[in-house]
Amino acid sequence: MTTTARPTWVTTAAPPDRPDAALLLRDYMTEMVVRYLRRPALPGEVDAALAEMPNDDLTAPSGLLLLAHHGRDPAGCAGLRWQPGWAELTRVFVRPHHRGAGGGAALLAAVEERTRAAGADRIRLDTRHDLVEARALYARHGYREIPAYSQGPYAEHWFEKRLP
């Protein structure tokens, strides 16, 4: 009997302008635009959204971007923005054909480890109402809804996880 090894998840830090990072961030933003507008993105809409919400602060000293590879495939990403004593989680994304294989959990574990190593004691995030899968992922991993801490145009739910 032959068994095939399942691909593993590996996370690494990368600058947002690295080609694989830029591709994943564009995929993330494309999905955000399509889901928000409930139709395919028109030419220029994803570029406009990327310009409205840039990723250049997801690098030291203001933040961090983690890429997740599933086997050899670039499959997801998550960003952190450093705040005094805590970190804000952003850009959590797993490509559709890699969903259901533990990528979201791998990314959350990696950002929590990085947050602890940076000396922060909690992670906060905001998300939209229509991102029900993301909200369920956060709840499954110990993130609890909290009162609003930000006023972004797409912030409708706020979560926090205290780190031991």
Side-chain angles (χ1 to χ4, degrees):
M1 180 171 148
T2 305
T3 58
T4 303
R6 290 179 159 207
T8 59
W9 288 95
V10 176
T11 58
T12 56
D17 60 354
R18 196 170 89 183
D20 54 349
L23 179 64
L24 285 164
L25 289 165
R26 176 170 279 285
D27 287 354
Y28 161 84
M29 193 59 73
T30 299
E31 183 167 325
M32 294 304 100
V33 168
V34 167
R35 288 184 69 158
Y36 187 75
L37 297 174
R38 298 181 186 175
R39 61 163 171 75
L42 299 176
E45 285 180 327
V46 174
D47 290 330
L50 285 165
E52 177 188 348
M53 301 175 71
N55 299 299
D56 53 347
D57 62 344
L58 299 179
T59 187
S62 59
L64 169 73
L65 178 67
L66 292 178
L67 303 185
H69 283 76
H70 193 221
R72 295 163 63 91
D73 297 336
C77 59
L80 290 170
R81 291 188 178 106
W82 304 121
Q83 306 295 333
W86 59 281
E88 182 176 37
L89 181 60
T90 187
R91 307 297 192 266
V92 178
F93 174 72
V94 175
R95 284 182 157 163
H97 59 281
H98 289 286
R99 293 180 185 161
L107 282 163
L108 290 179
V111 297
E112 290 169 15
E113 180 181 317
R114 297 286 184 125
T115 300
R116 276 189 215 91
D121 68 356
R122 66 193 180 280
I123 296 175
R124 289 181 172 174
L125 65 100
D126 62 52
T127 190
R128 295 187 336 217
H129 185 72
D130 63 317
L131 301 178
V132 294
E133 304 90 345
R135 293 188 354 247
L137 172 72
Y138 303 135
R140 275 194 315 274
H141 289 274
Y143 290 75
R144 302 290 175 239
E145 285 211 51
I146 61 170
Y149 71 88
S150 65
Q151 297 181 1
Y154 307 106
E156 298 170 316
H157 294 267
W158 297 263
F159 287 83
E160 179 178 86
K161 181 175 182 178
R162 297 232 173 229
L163 302 175

